[in-house]
Amino acid sequence: MSLDNFFNFFNNSLFFSFLTSTILYWFSLGFNDKKIFFTLAKITSRLGTLGLFSFLSFRWITYGYFPLSNLYESLLFLSCLLLFVFQVLEYKTQSGIFGGIVLPIVLFISGFTELVLPLEMQKASALVPALQSNWLMMHVSLMMLSYAILIIGSGFSIIYIGTVILEFFMKPIEQRYLAYQEDVRQMLNRTRGINITRDQYVVLSSPSSPYASSEIISLNAIFMEEENFVRNARKTFLVQLDNWSYRAISLGFPFLTIGIIAGAVWANEAWGSYWSWDPKETWALITWLIFAAYLHLRLIVGMKGKEPAILGSIGFFVVWVCYLGVNFLGQGLHSYGWFA
């Protein structure tokens, strides 16, 4: 099998592996009482991670350089980091929510490399002189690691905002409770052949009333227990999303900072200037400021919830602009191995 055919076979296998894993993770979240889905999702995601890591190692050994010389290798390296990070988090929490968020992103990257990138861009080529440096592994790998962690953290912020918006458009609990009361009243009217008015129902459902009905009180208690469970579960879910987002961004931000500093030192060595206001450098600074503002709100101002989550959500898109969007323009000093 030629290398071209091998690349094509690998891309197809990777895509279907992550597609299967994504579906299984979504099933595990929808049917959380069925542990088999979560188990199969973990197995398929780990097999995909192992295959991707082996493939990158093969390119590293075969061609003699760290596999970050072009867009194809860069995307695969980012996917590998996303998979490693999410599996560490999943192991710590035993929650399928990480796979439900990360695997679709990895699936999208896999589909992009297979369906969009031409075969010529998937081939290995000699490094340009500016990339033939020991700084390549340190600077680029740190930036890619920070991207992976920040994407996961800001992804949780997006889920947080989406949950809050969904709650806003849902009927309030009080309206649902009143509708339930009306259903119970109508049911009693049908079964007992009597007509209980709204005012009479309120009396019958009040434990303090001497005319209270134990049947209605029991039904109301069951309903309120269900509502309290749903309300507490939703609140707990939002708190978890907020904490996971904060922890991931707190971890990714130092890597981003060190990566930018390492890049400045490398730039001075390669181009004779620490900072050139290259589009990539400018967007790296914007990314740093967005997440610095997020951590400022959390640590200094003490805000939690919606306000930091909005910044984190913005950061998700800023990271992708910094990583991919700038380079699609084909301009600047960081455009090696990208679309022209």
Side-chain angles (χ1 to χ4, degrees):
M1 180 184 293
S2 67
L3 280 179
D4 291 347
N5 291 332
F6 173 70
F7 290 154
N8 187 55
F9 173 77
F10 168 77
N11 282 334
N12 291 332
S13 301
L14 191 67
F15 179 81
F16 284 109
S17 172
F18 293 138
L19 176 61
T20 303
S21 187
T22 299
I23 294 173
L24 288 171
Y25 269 111
W26 285 351
F27 268 98
S28 71
L29 293 175
F31 305 95
N32 52 17
D33 56 328
K34 306 292 184 181
K35 301 300 181 183
I36 184 65
F37 291 121
F38 186 42
T39 302
L40 291 175
K42 290 193 293 184
I43 292 174
T44 54
S45 66
R46 280 157 177 71
L47 288 175
T49 304
L50 180 61
L52 180 55
F53 177 78
S54 301
F55 179 74
L56 289 174
S57 300
F58 166 78
R59 289 181 72 103
W60 191 354
I61 295 172
T62 302
Y63 300 111
Y65 63 82
F66 197 60
L68 280 174
S69 66
N70 56 30
L71 177 59
Y72 175 72
E73 293 175 342
S74 176
L75 287 168
L76 294 184
F77 187 73
L78 177 63
S79 296
C80 193
L81 290 175
L82 282 168
L83 291 168
F84 274 122
V85 171
F86 111 79
Q87 285 171 7
V88 170
L89 296 175
E90 182 182 79
Y91 175 78
K92 293 291 185 180
T93 63
Q94 290 301 308
S95 173
I97 186 66
F98 294 95
I101 293 175
V102 175
L103 260 299
I105 298 174
V106 175
L107 178 65
F108 173 80
I109 295 175
S110 176
F112 179 82
T113 58
E114 178 182 0
L115 301 175
V116 178
L117 291 184
L119 188 59
E120 289 300 319
M121 292 194 65
Q122 301 178 23
K123 296 180 179 179
S125 58
L127 291 175
V128 298
L131 295 181
Q132 295 175 8
S133 170
N134 292 329
W135 286 101
L136 172 66
M137 184 183 298
M138 179 177 180
H139 166 63
V140 182
S141 61
L142 282 174
M143 293 299 294
M144 297 295 289
L145 179 59
S146 71
Y147 290 161
I149 300 175
L150 292 174
I151 285 172
I152 293 175
S154 55
F156 282 120
S157 292
I158 291 177
I159 301 298
Y160 184 98
I161 295 298
T163 305
V164 171
I165 294 174
L166 184 62
E167 282 187 334
F168 178 79
F169 286 103
M170 290 174 62
K171 286 186 177 181
I173 294 178
E174 291 78 12
Q175 291 183 4
R176 182 182 171 191
Y177 180 55
L178 290 175
Y180 170 80
Q181 286 184 331
E182 183 64 23
D183 291 340
V184 173
R185 187 175 69 85
Q186 295 293 340
M187 179 190 69
L188 292 173
N189 289 343
R190 290 192 300 270
T191 57
R192 294 185 176 183
I194 58 177
N195 183 25
I196 301 176
T197 66
R198 166 71 62 181
D199 294 336
Q200 290 172 333
Y201 181 88
V202 172
V203 173
L204 292 173
S205 63
S206 174
S208 61
S209 171
Y211 306 103
S213 168
S214 60
E215 180 183 3
I216 297 178
I217 292 175
S218 177
L219 287 171
N220 280 349
I222 293 173
F223 175 78
M224 290 307 297
E225 182 179 357
E226 176 192 351
E227 283 299 326
N228 288 332
F229 174 79
V230 173
R231 187 189 300 113
N232 292 333
R234 189 181 296 116
K235 182 179 179 181
T236 301
F237 179 64
L238 286 174
V239 170
Q240 288 180 336
L241 287 176
D242 194 38
N243 288 334
W244 286 335
S245 178
Y246 167 64
R247 292 174 182 176
I249 291 174
S250 298
L251 178 62
F253 184 75
F255 286 115
L256 177 65
T257 304
I258 298 172
I260 291 175
I261 294 173
V265 176
W266 187 14
N268 183 63
E269 178 183 295
W271 303 319
S273 174
Y274 288 99
W275 196 267
S276 306
W277 292 106
D278 178 76
K280 191 81 166 182
E281 296 173 348
T282 303
W283 275 96
L285 178 61
I286 293 173
T287 304
W288 188 91
L289 290 174
I290 290 291
F291 288 108
Y294 173 93
L295 294 175
H296 174 78
L297 286 181
R298 288 297 304 251
L299 296 175
I300 307 302
V301 181
M303 284 187 178
K304 295 182 179 181
K306 290 182 290 185
E307 291 81 3
I310 291 173
L311 266 180
S313 301
I314 295 172
F316 179 87
F317 299 100
V318 171
V319 167
W320 282 107
V321 171
C322 180
Y323 171 57
L324 283 180
V326 174
N327 295 85
F328 277 126
L329 299 176
Q331 300 172 355
L333 299 170
H334 289 78
S335 298
Y336 304 115
W338 301 71
F339 286 125

